[in-house]
Amino acid sequence: MSNSGAWLTSGSGADPLIILRSDFWGYNSIGIIGSEAACAVDPGVRPVEIVRLRRSLETRRGQRPVSEVVLTHSHHDHIRGWRAFPGARICMPRIAAEKPEEARRRILSSVGAIDGHLGVEVADFVYPQADEAFADSLSFDLGDCPVELRFLPGHSNCTSVVYLPSCKTLLTADYLVMPGLPYCRWEVEPFETALRTMDRWCVEWGVDRIVPAHNAVLEGPAVRTAIAQDLAYFADLREVLSNCLADGAERETAVRRAAKTMGERRGRDVGGRRRQDLDNARRVLRTLEE
Ligand SMILES: [Zn+2]
């Protein structure tokens, strides 16, 4: 795969979605094309990929402006392309827009570390400045293509997801990036609530496609199966940890044993990403100690 990414969907015909897959972290830059305007969701990762997404949004099957850039949350890989769409409104959750100075410094230093890793240079990158900072939801229309942003904390305290009713597609940010290994970077209980909320939406709205910000697109029955897998993961992890503690294991021993059990339960090697099992176990343990 070249360093400028590969199109997973090309927005042909009735599908308003284009997805540019990066070879870095399986990252999906998402574009939505309406009849009058277009929108970029979490555009990343390399500058060359961001330019490619913008050109495609502006010129594919006719010309249109990019009217909105949506940043689902403030994690460093999701905000890299925020300034690359001149004239677009920057939309993000209020909690992400109002991150305190200390958090911004951490995020910006991670952006710089990835620049170094990729060998790219982005001059004077600054933390996103929102034109629309929403609390619970925000909607706009690109022309026959409504876009609905919903605040849904859990992965982080500032995460949102995007629903596209015209193609029954939910863009889930860092939820469901690897079904069976949930990426909780904040608190477990809101994460589980977010999963249940998405499952309810899948039923109520008839969602039949989920596009996470990394890795594979989920379609049809795979959508609710993936949500069920992540809910089962947390239920099992909680039980394994409780049993370890009941057996008298020390805190850190219980965490390590539980993470190992979750890896074995998965039955496939996920390489370095298994660190997330340890992280999840620590976060679940915290809820058991409350
Ligand atoms: Zn994230």
Side-chain angles (χ1 to χ4, degrees), residues 85-111:
F85 300 81
R89 280 198 307 167
I90 309 300
C91 307
M92 62 197 294
R94 184 170 297 158
I95 291 182
E98 294 176 356
K99 283 271 153 164
E101 202 43 49
E102 174 54 28
R104 290 178 185 224
R105 258 200 301 277
R106 268 201 314 273
I107 292 163
L108 290 177
S109 109
S110 299
V111 169

Side-chain angles (χ1 to χ4, degrees), residues 73 75 77-78 155 174 185:
H73 63 299
H75 282 163
D77 46 337
H78 294 254
H155 163 69
D174 283 348
R185 315 299 304 183

Side-chain angles (χ1 to χ4, degrees), residues 191-202:
F191 196 114
E192 291 176 293
T193 302
L195 288 169
R196 289 191 193 99
T197 302
M198 287 189 284
D199 192 55
R200 179 162 52 78
W201 288 343
C202 286

Side-chain angles (χ1 to χ4, degrees), residues 148 150 163 168 170 200-207:
E148 300 176 6
R150 301 289 181 110
Y163 182 53
K168 296 190 182 307
L170 191 61
R200 179 162 52 78
W201 288 343
C202 286
V203 175
E204 284 175 9
W205 300 343
V207 174

Side-chain angles (χ1 to χ4, degrees), residues 27 42 72-78 155-156 158-159 173-175 177 183 185 213-214:
Y27 191 84
D42 293 348
T72 59
H73 63 299
S74 70
H75 282 163
H76 65 89
D77 46 337
H78 294 254
H155 163 69
S156 68
C158 65
T159 296
D174 283 348
Y175 294 110
V177 293
Y183 272 69
R185 315 299 304 183
H214 305 262

Side-chain angles (χ1 to χ4, degrees), residues 10 20 31 53 59 61 73 141 216 220 232 279 287:
S10 57
L20 186 62
L53 180 75
T59 62
R61 286 181 288 111
H73 63 299
D141 196 331
D279 198 37
T287 70

